[in-house]
């Protein structure tokens, strides 16, 4: 486990929370890995108090859970939970893309370029941020504030699933091929195609991640 030290600032709880959330999302902290207040405080170069508060928030979010004995562990990814999250995401993405296309909104192609550039490197955090930026652009383009609000409720988990998919995918550029097709459908005003491609995109990501977890589980057995 390798974490980035927190700079000398006052908003330590938020910084510690974000640092740990991102470490869980990009795989720096693996599912099942044990974390303790003392070790994290030493690694992050902060006192134990903000670490304790951040850990409580992460546990509340479901990213951490009690470990046998002392401390906490990173919550393991469960196939059923993954399927349920992607069902919600697929529905929201399809609706957002449909509304954006009907409203004749344009998704900036620079978001695709940024994503392809990130996918050509090895920085999982940058890949996640590019992916989030693309989908958030569609939510905003939908013109429906409730889509944005509902998506925000699940972003902490979807961010983690994005990271898991990106780490297990055999074709990172293929993910951005799908994104480009969605963007083109929206930009061309084809609402039906935009919705269909968005839902398929979520289904593909879900299927790949669940299959990866099943294979990993069999290999570990």
């Amino acid at each position: 486990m390798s974490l980035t030290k927190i700079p000398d600032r006052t908003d330590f709880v938020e910084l510690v929370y974000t640092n740990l959330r991102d470490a869980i999302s990009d795989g720096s902290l693996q599912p099942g890995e044990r974390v303790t207040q003392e070790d994290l405080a030493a690694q992050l170069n902060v006192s134990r108090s903000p670490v304790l508060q951040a850990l409580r928030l992460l546990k509340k979010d479901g990213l951490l859970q009690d470990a046998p004995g002392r401390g906490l562990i990173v919550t393991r990814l469960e196939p059923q939970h993954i399927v349920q999250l992607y069902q919600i995401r697929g529905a929201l993405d399809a609706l957002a893309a449909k509304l954006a296309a009907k409203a004749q909104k344009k998704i900036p192609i620079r978001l695709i370029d940024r994503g392809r550039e990130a996918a050509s490197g090895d920085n999982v955090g940058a890949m996640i941020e590019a992916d989030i930026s693309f989908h958030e652009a569609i939510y905003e383009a939908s013109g429906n504030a409730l889509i944005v609000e509902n998506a925000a409720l699940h972003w902490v988990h979807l961010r983690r699933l994005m990271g898991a998919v990106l780490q297990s995918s055999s074709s990172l550029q293929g993910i951005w091929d799908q994104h480009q097709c969605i963007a083109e459908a929206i930009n061309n005003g084809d609402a039906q195609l935009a919705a269909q491609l968005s839902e398929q995109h979520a289904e593909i990501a879900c299927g790949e991640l669940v299959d990866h977890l099943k294979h990993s589980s069999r290999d570990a057995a």
Side-chain angles (χ1 to χ4, degrees):
M1 176 176 63
S2 178
L3 301 175
T4 304
K5 290 185 182 299
I6 298 296
D8 185 16
R9 291 176 55 180
T10 57
D11 51 343
F12 289 126
V13 175
E14 182 179 353
L15 286 169
V16 172
Y17 173 90
T18 301
N19 192 308
L20 295 178
R21 180 205 65 190
D22 291 348
I24 292 170
S25 298
D26 68 21
S28 298
L29 285 171
Q30 287 288 312
E33 185 170 348
R34 184 184 294 268
V35 296
T36 64
Q37 184 181 344
E38 296 81 2
D39 290 343
L40 292 174
Q43 285 201 59
L44 297 172
N45 194 34
V46 297
S47 68
R48 292 167 57 181
S49 179
V51 173
L52 176 60
Q53 294 180 64
L55 291 177
R56 286 173 175 166
L57 291 173
L58 290 162
K59 183 180 176 183
K60 182 179 179 181
D61 285 341
L63 296 181
L64 295 176
Q65 63 186 60
D66 290 323
R70 179 168 170 267
L72 300 165
I73 61 171
V74 177
T75 303
R76 290 181 172 84
L77 293 169
E78 298 293 340
Q80 182 179 6
H81 189 224
I82 291 170
V83 170
Q84 291 173 344
L85 280 169
Y86 270 110
Q87 286 173 341
I88 292 172
R89 178 181 165 183
L92 283 175
D93 285 6
L95 177 58
K98 177 181 177 180
L99 293 175
K102 283 187 172 181
Q104 298 184 326
K105 295 296 180 66
K106 303 296 182 184
I107 305 302
I109 298 301
R110 59 179 171 77
L111 294 176
I112 306 294
D113 295 336
R114 175 190 170 193
R116 291 193 183 280
E117 182 179 357
S120 65
D122 57 4
N123 186 331
V124 177
M127 297 180 201
I128 294 173
E129 293 304 323
D131 207 326
I132 289 174
S133 294
F134 173 76
H135 289 286
E136 284 185 333
I138 297 176
Y139 298 155
E140 292 289 345
S142 74
N144 187 327
L146 291 179
I147 292 178
V148 178
E149 291 176 14
N150 278 276
L153 295 174
H154 306 287
W155 266 128
V156 66
H157 293 287
L158 292 174
R159 176 188 292 271
R160 187 184 184 195
L161 295 187
M162 284 180 175
V165 168
L166 291 167
Q167 292 171 73
S168 62
S169 176
S170 59
S171 177
L172 295 178
Q173 293 297 337
I175 293 173
W176 285 95
D177 289 341
Q178 295 171 34
H179 286 166
Q180 183 166 347
C181 289
I182 294 169
E184 289 175 351
I186 293 172
N187 293 349
N188 291 333
D190 192 333
Q192 182 176 352
L193 180 60
Q196 179 184 342
L197 292 174
S198 294
E199 192 163 11
Q200 286 178 352
H201 176 61
E203 290 174 352
I204 291 170
C206 179
E208 288 183 351
L209 181 52
V210 170
D211 286 345
H212 174 73
L213 290 176
K214 288 180 178 177
H215 288 308
S216 298
S217 178
R218 285 198 293 267
D219 291 342

